[in-house]
Amino acid sequence: MVFIFLRKYTYLLFFPSIILLSYLLFNRDLLLTFDSYNFLCGADTFKRTWKLFMCDCTPMVLSPPGYSIFLSAFILSPTTLLFTYILTTILMYGLTLYCWFSIIKQEITDNFVFVFASLQMALALPLFYVHLFVWSEGLFVFLISTGLFSFYRFKVQNNVYWLILFATAFGLSVTVKYIGLLIFVSIVLGSLLSNKNAFRKYQYFILCIPLLSFAGVILNNYNSSGSFTGIRPFL
C-alpha cells in the first residue's frame, strides 16, 4: 500500500534536486573550465563572424559546433547570459528527468523497483554535476533523452511524428557530440535486429536526418580546417 502511494507521487522526488540546482546556479557564478572558455570563444566568434574559433584562434573542429551555436543565442548581455542560460539549463535538466521517469513508469511494474529507480535518478550526481558547468554534456544528454523518449513513444504508438522527433533530436545531438551518431545507429540497428519490420520503407528517409547532420558537420570542418574531426594527439 505504501509503495502504491509512493508510485503515485514519485515525481516529487525530483523537485529537491531541481530546486538545489536552481539555488546553486542563481547564487554562484557559472563554473568554467578550459573547454568552457573554448565553447564561449566559439559562441562569441560565431555571433560576430558566423565562424567558430577556439581561444587559440584555431577553427573549432575537435568538438562539433552545436553547443557554441547554442551558447551564441545567449550572448546578448551579461544579464541575458546569466539568467536566460541558467533558466534554460534548469529546464533541460527537468525535462531530462521527465523523459526517463516517463519511460520507467511504463516499463517497471514492480512498485518497489520503480520507487528505487526513481530515487536513483533523483540522486544521480553525474547528471546533476554536469549542469553546474558551462559544458556541452547537459545539452547532449537532454537531446539524447528526448530522442530515446520519442523512440519509445514511437514503438508504443507507431506514430510517425514521434519518429521525426526521434531523428531530429539525434540529428541535433550529433552537432553537439560526434558520439551521438553512434548511439543513434546502435538504437536503429538494435531495433531492426529484434524486428526486421520495425520501420516502414518511407520512414528510412526520416532516419537519414542524423546522417545528413553528421555529414554537414564534418564537411564544414574539412572546409574550415582541412580535417574532418580535428587532429587528436592520442590517435
Side-chain angles (χ1 to χ4, degrees):
M1 187 69 180
V2 174
F3 285 109
I4 295 176
F5 175 81
L6 289 176
R7 185 184 183 92
K8 185 176 181 180
Y9 297 102
T10 300
Y11 64 90
L12 295 176
L13 292 172
F14 301 118
F15 281 91
S17 60
I18 294 174
I19 293 172
L20 178 60
L21 179 66
S22 303
Y23 173 79
L24 292 176
L25 289 177
F26 278 114
N27 290 277
R28 301 173 63 179
D29 292 334
L30 294 172
L31 300 179
L32 303 173
T33 62
F34 178 75
D35 287 339
S36 304
Y37 285 109
N38 277 326
F39 287 129
L40 288 169
C41 284
D44 182 58
T45 56
F46 180 79
K47 192 76 175 180
R48 291 185 289 107
T49 67
W50 290 88
K51 295 181 180 180
L52 293 108
F53 292 94
M54 296 191 294
C55 294
D56 59 0
C57 297
T58 58
M60 180 174 285
V61 294
L62 291 177
S63 297
Y67 186 62
S68 287
I69 295 174
F70 171 77
L71 284 177
S72 69
F74 302 98
I75 302 182
L76 299 175
S77 68
T79 302
T80 301
L81 176 62
L82 178 63
F83 288 98
T84 311
Y85 178 79
I86 288 175
L87 288 173
T88 304
T89 299
I90 295 169
L91 179 63
M92 289 192 301
Y93 178 68
L95 289 175
T96 298
L97 292 176
Y98 171 78
C99 288
W100 289 105
F101 174 75
S102 298
I103 294 175
I104 67 171
K105 187 176 183 180
Q106 296 297 321
E107 291 297 311
I108 301 178
T109 56
D110 185 278
N111 292 326
F112 173 78
V113 176
F114 171 70
V115 173
F116 180 75
S118 299
L119 183 62
Q120 293 298 306
M121 288 170 50
L123 299 176
L125 290 180
L127 178 64
F128 181 88
Y129 187 72
V130 298
H131 287 83
L132 295 175
F133 289 81
V134 182
W135 285 349
S136 61
E137 280 77 5
L139 177 60
F140 179 73
V141 171
F142 165 69
L143 292 172
I144 292 296
S145 301
T146 302
L148 289 172
F149 172 74
S150 301
F151 187 72
Y152 176 78
R153 299 306 302 171
F154 167 72
K155 300 299 290 183
V156 172
Q157 299 180 1
N158 197 28
N159 190 318
V160 70
Y161 295 108
W162 285 115
L163 185 64
I164 293 173
L165 183 57
F166 161 67
T168 302
F170 271 93
L172 291 173
S173 76
V174 170
T175 70
V176 178
K177 286 189 176 296
Y178 296 119
I179 198 173
L181 181 66
L182 181 61
I183 299 174
F184 171 78
V185 172
S186 300
I187 294 172
V188 173
L189 288 180
S191 183
L192 289 173
L193 288 174
S194 62
N195 180 11
K196 294 182 179 180
N197 299 317
F199 307 104
R200 299 176 183 176
K201 290 183 178 180
Y202 76 92
Q203 293 175 344
Y204 286 99
F205 291 102
I206 299 174
L207 295 175
C208 289
I209 293 176
L211 301 177
L212 294 174
S213 178
F214 179 73
V217 169
I218 62 172
L219 288 176
N220 179 70
N221 289 346
Y222 187 79
N223 182 57
S224 61
S225 68
S227 173
F228 288 115
T229 58
I231 299 175
R232 289 167 170 77
F234 55 85
L235 292 180

